[in-house]
Each structure stands twice: as C-alpha cells, then as structure tokens.
Amino acid sequence: MPLPLRFEDDKPYEECGVFGVWNGGDAAALTALGLHALQHRGQEAAGIVTLDEAGLFHAHKGLGLVGDNFGEAKVIASLRGPHAVGHNRYATTGETALRNVQPLYADFEFGGFAVAHNGNLTNAYALKRALVRRGCLFQSTTDSEVFIHLIAISLYSTVIDRLIDALKQVQGAYSLVALHNGALIGARDPLGVRPLVLGRLANGGLVLASETCALDIVSAEFVRDIEAGELVVIDDSGLRSIKPFARTDSRFCIFEYIYFARPDSVMEGMPVYETRKRIGAELARESGVAADLIVPVPDSGVPAAMGYAVESGIPFELGIIRNHYVGRTFIEPTDQIRHLGVKLKHSANRAMIQGKRVVLVDDSIVRGTTSRKIVEMVRQAGATEVHMRVSSPPTTHSCYYGIDTPERADLMAAKHGIAEMARIIGVNSLAFISLDGLYRALGQAVRDAKKPHFCDACFTGDYAIPLTDSTDNADRQLSLLQPAGQ
Ligand code: SF4
C-alpha cells in the first residue's frame, strides 16, 4: 500500500488519537467509527484490540487509514466482544511502522493487556536503556512500549497498581487507554497536556476518546474530561477515579485550540470552533490592516478568518479553494512532486482575488515553505496586496510532547524576525497574534509567566515537563527509540 504523501509538510502533526469502550455491544464497530472521527490525529496506521465475554482478546492492525483497515464487515466481525481499545497513528514509512502500530498487546501473568497512547514520553530513552540492561526485549521502536515493560517488572500485584507504578516512572505527555481482562483504563499525565474525554452510550456503556467528536459519531453523551493526572478504571460496576499524583496545575496543549483538534470538538469545556473565531477576532483587534477581503488558508484557517472578518468588518471570501481529494498519493513522493504539492492541494479563486487587497489568515507558520507558495499563488491570481495574519504566536521551539514539529533549526520563526519572515514569504505585512492576545481569546486575562494556564512551549520555550532524553548525553548505541509516531 503506498504511504501518503504529505501535502501539509509545513504543519505540525498531531501524533495519535485513542478510543476505548467498555460494554459497547459491538465494540469493534464503535471503535472503528470513533477512530474514523479521530482520523485527523493520525493517518498512517490504525489498530483495534477487543475483549470478548470469554476473556479472549482479538486484534487487527495495519498501515493506512481507518477505512483501509476496518472497512470490511468480516474484519469487524472477527473482532468479537463488547470491550475495545483503538488507536490512530501518525508515523513515518518503512518496515518499522507495522510493528509500531498500536494498541500494543502483551500477555502477563495477570492476563492480556492492550495499551494505546497519545503523546510522547520525554524520558523513554533513559527508561529503555535501563530496561534493556535488565533483560527486557523491545519489539517496537515506539516509546509507548516502555509502559508494557514497566508493568511487567513491577513488583506490585494488581494491574492497576502496576500501571500506576509505571506512570510514576515516565515523564512526558500521555493520554492512554488500556484494556485488560477486568477493566478499561484511561489515564492522563499529571499536567494533562494531551486530551481525553469520557462519554456514555445509550446502553450505559462508557467510552474514552481523545476528542468529543469521537463521542458524537457513536452517539455517546459527553460526561466529562478526564482530569490531569487522573486514572479511571471502568468495569461492570461502573467507574472508579484514582489520583495517583500530587495535585498540580494543569498545562493543556494550547495548540489543540489553534490547529490540532477538530473544530466540532469541545476541549476542556471550550468549543474549538468558537474558540478559533475568538482568536481570529483578537488577531483583528491587534493587527488590523486596510484590505478588501479576508481569505482563509483552508481548512484549518477558516474559523479564525471568520472571526477576523467579523471583527474587522471586511468581507470574508473563499479566495483559496482546497482540493479535498488529495491526501493519499497515487504517485511516488519525489522531490518534483513535493514541489507541486501545494498546487495539488490549493488553488487560488482568481475571480474573487483579482485586483483586491487580500488578508490571508492561517493558523501557524512552521517552516514557511507552504506560506511562501500560497502567497505567490495569490499574487499570480491578481491580488494587489497580500497581508498575512497568523492565529498563533511565532512557532520558535519544537514540541517534545506528542506533536511532530521540525527541529528548531528548521522553524522559520526561530531563525528570522517578523520583518525578515514577511520578506521571505513575500507579503506586504505579516503579524502573529500575541501570546497575551491568545490567552485572552482563551478566557485568561493574561499569560501568568509564573503559572501559565496552558502548555505553550512551542511559542515560549517554557517546557513544563523535563526533557530528559534531549539533555541526556549518554551513548546512543541503544537508541532504538524514536519519538512517538516514528
Ligand atoms: S509544545 Fe506546543 S504543540 Fe507541544 S504540547 Fe506544548 S503547546 Fe502543544
């Protein structure tokens, strides 16, 4: 199966979506639907593990989209049982991808255990080195396998205590769902960087998912967000909440609101679509400019552009049209084709743009390569001025918490000031929302530097979770680990 050519190489990538269900009836079908709704969080592999009434586990995993792997009725039928966990993975190419596809499964003395993880562990290499020295044999190169080995060597007797033991040793961002013979488990890291929500099915079964859009597709009612540092154990007697960590202020990923989450999801009580419009309105207040049209860079720039247009009073128009049928390639991703990528995906709506002063609204600039091509395309379509407004602050730092961003050296805003960026991209003016403006749009009066409400490290370099592996100068001979999703 050809792997996708990424036409959005200039965007950061969410590295996974998770879904779990207990007492869901046809759990595999529900999980496939849930993963389908979470497809934006990972497009390169998908997997489901189910548990039937006899205590037997069933698994199916593969490279490709959810529909590629779970579109056939016989596959769903083979995944028997009312309980399931599933995973969408963002990954790179090659042989290693298949063995890294989650959920990961292992047989323990207490029975089978399947785990699916969204996020990235920042001390996974250090842990792996210690585990390999103890004789653990890793089967994959994903950091998530560390959970399996930590559970295996734990001296605690119950599954839950072993998992808690493991969670207390890992650093990083994680939202995970796990399934064993007795329960469905959900957990979020102590800072709650990555999302996880709880829902209830009409039959009373309970669902865990990365986003509420995955609850909607299976008609599950939203119950609540799993709290930062919370572990929930769901079994036939209901839900038990455990708080194994010392209480600390959460730091939810601010980029989920800007770009990653699906617009119809509600994150930590805030509807993503409305929030993006508010960010756009704040951006307009901060950096208004005389223009004839507000044009979003589709699709992710659309809500912010709508907010910008309403606040500025300048008409909103779809001046760039996106081809929705591009995504999986029918051709090899050679350099020549990559160069064409932006044109395959976006085209300028000449009739709208010609002779106009255009404000392009996008959600982020990472390398700047796509922005430059889009601006060039809009100019070629006859725009007399092109201004760019960005609904995130400049991305100056890499993410180590489960989002695939380029190395810092490749981040345009890490290398250039705004005036220089404007020159390279080819716009008449360029402005980003300020960090305080972003916080205002998210309902905070200001960013409290001592106690920021969100993780915003890719804009500030304020990494709240230690980057142990990145600062560890140890010999990397054992370094089979790559960041989650690799
Ligand atoms: S560094 Fe940025 S992308 Fe990564 S978790 Fe923090 S806010 Fe989100």
Side-chain angles (χ1 to χ4, degrees):
M1 176 186 303
L3 285 159
L5 168 60
R6 291 196 191 102
F7 291 103
E8 286 181 308
D9 269 347
D10 200 19
K11 290 285 179 199
Y13 277 84
E14 184 66 62
E15 288 186 348
C16 307
V18 295
F19 189 91
V21 56
W22 186 263
N23 276 336
D26 189 354
L30 293 184
T31 305
L33 286 169
L35 293 181
H36 175 70
L38 296 172
Q39 191 74 82
H40 59 290
R41 298 184 79 88
Q43 297 93 47
E44 299 195 8
I48 296 177
V49 173
T50 62
L51 171 65
D52 68 21
E53 286 92 343
L56 297 174
F57 286 87
H58 310 271
H60 184 80
K61 305 189 233 179
L63 301 180
L65 300 174
V66 177
D68 298 333
N69 290 293
F70 298 100
E72 290 185 38
K74 68 177 185 205
V75 173
I76 296 293
S78 72
L79 295 169
R80 294 191 297 279
H83 321 299
V85 286
H87 189 259
N88 274 341
R89 179 177 171 75
Y90 163 90
T92 53
T93 60
E95 175 274 328
T96 54
L98 193 53
R99 62 186 170 132
N100 287 339
V101 178
Q102 299 189 32
L104 299 178
Y105 176 85
D107 282 312
F108 293 94
E109 57 195 277
F110 56 76
F113 185 87
V115 63
H117 164 217
N118 169 216
N120 189 51
L121 304 183
T122 54
N123 67 338
Y125 173 72
L127 287 171
K128 179 168 184 173
R129 196 172 48 203
L131 287 163
V132 168
R133 284 181 181 143
R134 289 187 61 166
C136 295
L137 301 174
F138 278 72
Q139 303 293 313
S140 74
T141 60
T142 168
D143 59 348
S144 313
E145 193 181 342
V146 166
F147 289 117
I148 297 281
H149 293 285
L150 290 174
I151 291 168
I153 63 165
S154 174
L155 298 177
Y156 287 90
S157 53
T158 71
V159 188
I160 303 303
D161 286 342
R162 285 176 178 224
L163 177 58
I164 291 172
D165 190 24
L167 296 182
K168 287 192 168 174
Q169 294 173 68
V170 303
Q171 297 169 343
Y174 55 83
S175 279
L176 59 87
V177 293
L179 190 64
H180 76 95
N181 290 35
L184 171 70
I185 304 163
R188 277 180 88 183
D189 68 77
L191 297 185
V193 175
R194 304 256 70 86
L196 191 64
V197 297
L198 173 71
R200 190 186 313 278
L201 295 163
N203 71 351
L206 292 174
V207 177
L208 295 167
S210 294
E211 296 185 30
T212 59
C213 64
L215 302 183
D216 295 336
I217 198 169
V218 297
S219 298
E221 169 199 3
F222 171 75
V223 177
R224 65 176 176 88
D225 291 283
I226 304 303
E227 291 177 29
E230 183 182 17
L231 187 140
V232 291
V233 182
I234 297 167
D235 58 21
D236 289 345
S237 58
L239 180 145
R240 182 161 53 105
S241 170
I242 302 171
K243 306 271 178 66
F245 302 103
R247 172 114 187 87
T248 170
D249 293 321
S250 66
R251 298 283 299 270
F252 184 62
C253 168
I254 205 164
F255 228 134
E256 292 277 359
Y257 290 113
I258 296 165
Y259 171 66
F260 302 131
R262 226 170 75 164
D264 54 335
S265 284
V266 178
M267 295 237 143
E268 305 273 300
M270 286 196 279
V272 172
Y273 181 79
E274 281 301 317
T275 303
R276 286 182 188 161
K277 282 171 72 176
R278 282 205 307 276
I279 296 171
E282 187 67 38
L283 181 60
R285 285 190 284 276
E286 285 189 351
S287 56
V289 59
D292 304 309
L293 288 183
I294 306 298
V295 171
V297 177
D299 289 329
S300 50
V302 170
M306 290 170 75
Y308 192 106
V310 170
E311 182 64 27
S312 65
I314 302 170
F316 170 99
E317 296 290 354
L318 297 179
I320 299 172
I321 304 301
R322 179 177 167 181
N323 183 340
H324 286 269
Y325 302 97
V326 175
R328 299 191 65 76
T329 182
F330 48 93
I331 36 183
E332 289 298 309
T334 60
D335 283 349
Q336 185 189 4
I337 298 301
R338 280 192 193 287
H339 181 70
L340 292 176
V342 72
K343 284 191 177 166
L344 289 172
K345 183 162 184 180
H346 294 116
S347 60
N349 185 354
R350 181 177 291 273
M352 233 35 263
I353 285 174
Q354 197 155 30
K356 304 278 179 37
R357 297 169 299 168
V358 171
V359 178
L360 289 178
V361 179
D362 203 353
D363 49 65
S364 56
I365 294 180
V366 180
R367 289 188 176 89
T369 46
T370 301
S371 306
R372 191 162 45 79
K373 288 173 188 165
I374 285 177
V375 169
E376 189 184 326
M377 192 170 71
V378 170
R379 286 205 187 277
Q380 282 172 358
T384 55
E385 292 177 22
V386 183
H387 305 270
M388 181 161 271
R389 297 293 179 265
V390 185
S391 63
S392 64
T395 304
T396 50
H397 292 74
S398 302
C399 176
Y400 296 90
Y401 303 147
I403 302 301
D404 183 35
T405 42
E407 295 285 316
R408 198 164 178 226
D410 293 327
L411 295 171
M412 192 180 211
K415 295 186 289 191
H416 304 289
I418 291 177
E420 182 66 1
M421 289 176 76
R423 188 191 64 74
I424 295 169
I425 292 170
V427 286
N428 296 79
S429 76
L430 170 68
F432 295 78
I433 194 166
S434 70
L435 200 55
D436 280 340
L438 178 59
Y439 270 72
R440 268 195 302 281
L442 294 171
Q444 307 288 311
V446 69
R447 179 184 191 267
D448 179 348
K450 289 203 186 99
K451 237 170 73 174
H453 193 73
F454 298 100
C455 176
D456 51 26
C458 44
F459 310 129
T460 60
D462 175 10
Y463 294 102
I465 303 170
L467 306 180
T468 302
D469 289 341
S470 302
T471 51
D472 175 4
N473 292 319
D475 174 3
R476 290 284 165 150
Q477 273 193 335
L478 286 174
S479 184
L480 301 175
L481 274 178
Q482 300 160 24
Q486 303 269 317

